[in-house]
Amino acid sequence: MNIPNLITVLRVLLIPIFILLFYLPYDWSYMASASVFAFAAATDWLDGYLARRLEQSTPFGAFLDPVADKLMVAVALVLLVQEHGNLWLTLPAAVIIGREIVISALREWMAELGARAQVAVSNLGKWKTAAQMLALVILLAHPKAFSFWVVLGYTLLIVSAGLTLWSMVQYLRAAWPHLKTDVEKK
């Protein structure tokens, strides 16, 4: 265990805390849950930076970091879909979660073929993540009542879902020769 891995583990441990804060029956609970989520999102950047800077990248960290991110985002989306219960949030949430499942399966399959590098994280994925995290922080911080902030959160989430679909298309295009080859062999 090194510092970057401990920070990643902390991110996972913060998930039940932000869930608890989200459901507390107080006016400040939205802002508190959003603050914990924002802190956890910032640790995603920090653990990666420290792992590279201190040369402490490990197989455990490489495994846990994306898992922690996906858990955080999926839990936040589930909370928000339950709270808001509308198409503007549910559809992008389904796209984002569905894409994560597809790309995780694709990466696993490509790794079995020894071609994992062809579906590595891209800069488009970083923009998607930034829009997604900002949208989630905004939406967690504000009750479902119609406001500028909620509309901004929905807009950013929809943009994030669009970037999510585009990045999925890019990953599938990169993997297509391998997918096509196996289909033709059968």
Side-chain angles (χ1 to χ4, degrees):
M1 262 309 171
N2 57 33
I3 293 170
N5 288 348
L6 289 172
I7 292 171
T8 303
V9 169
L10 172 65
R11 191 160 63 252
V12 173
L13 295 175
L14 287 173
I15 293 171
I17 294 169
F18 99 78
I19 293 170
L20 176 66
L21 289 169
F22 185 83
Y23 281 114
L24 286 177
Y26 302 109
D27 292 336
W28 52 263
S29 69
Y30 290 108
M31 193 57 73
S33 69
S35 297
V36 170
F37 183 87
F39 175 76
T43 67
D44 179 31
W45 171 83
L46 180 63
D47 65 11
Y49 172 78
L50 289 175
R52 288 184 299 278
R53 175 88 175 172
L54 302 174
E55 296 181 7
Q56 294 185 344
S57 296
T58 65
F60 177 72
F63 159 73
L64 189 59
D65 183 63
V67 170
D69 299 342
K70 287 168 183 40
L71 285 172
M72 244 178 55
V73 168
V75 168
L77 287 169
V78 167
L79 291 174
L80 290 167
V81 165
Q82 181 264 325
E83 176 83 8
H84 289 245
N86 65 47
L87 181 66
W88 301 107
L89 204 132
T90 303
L91 185 58
V95 166
I96 291 166
I97 292 171
R99 180 263 190 198
E100 293 304 335
I101 292 167
V102 168
I103 297 305
S104 293
L106 180 66
R107 285 184 177 141
E108 181 180 334
W109 182 73
M110 292 292 285
E112 287 179 20
L113 297 178
R116 170 83 162 82
Q118 292 183 14
V119 287
V121 176
S122 68
N123 282 331
L124 180 61
K126 293 177 193 266
W127 284 103
K128 175 219 40 127
T129 299
Q132 182 176 275
M133 293 304 189
L134 184 56
L136 292 174
V137 168
I138 290 169
L139 291 168
L140 286 167
H142 296 87
K144 66 180 178 179
F146 183 77
S147 70
F148 167 80
W149 292 108
V150 170
V151 171
L152 178 62
Y154 287 172
T155 302
L156 285 169
L157 197 63
I158 291 167
V159 166
S160 173
L163 292 171
T164 293
L165 286 175
W166 180 248
S167 70
M168 182 176 76
V169 167
Q170 298 296 84
Y171 288 129
L172 290 171
R173 286 179 65 199
W176 184 250
H178 298 282
L179 293 167
K180 186 177 171 188
T181 301
D182 280 349
V183 171
E184 289 174 354
K185 286 180 183 176
K186 293 180 181 180

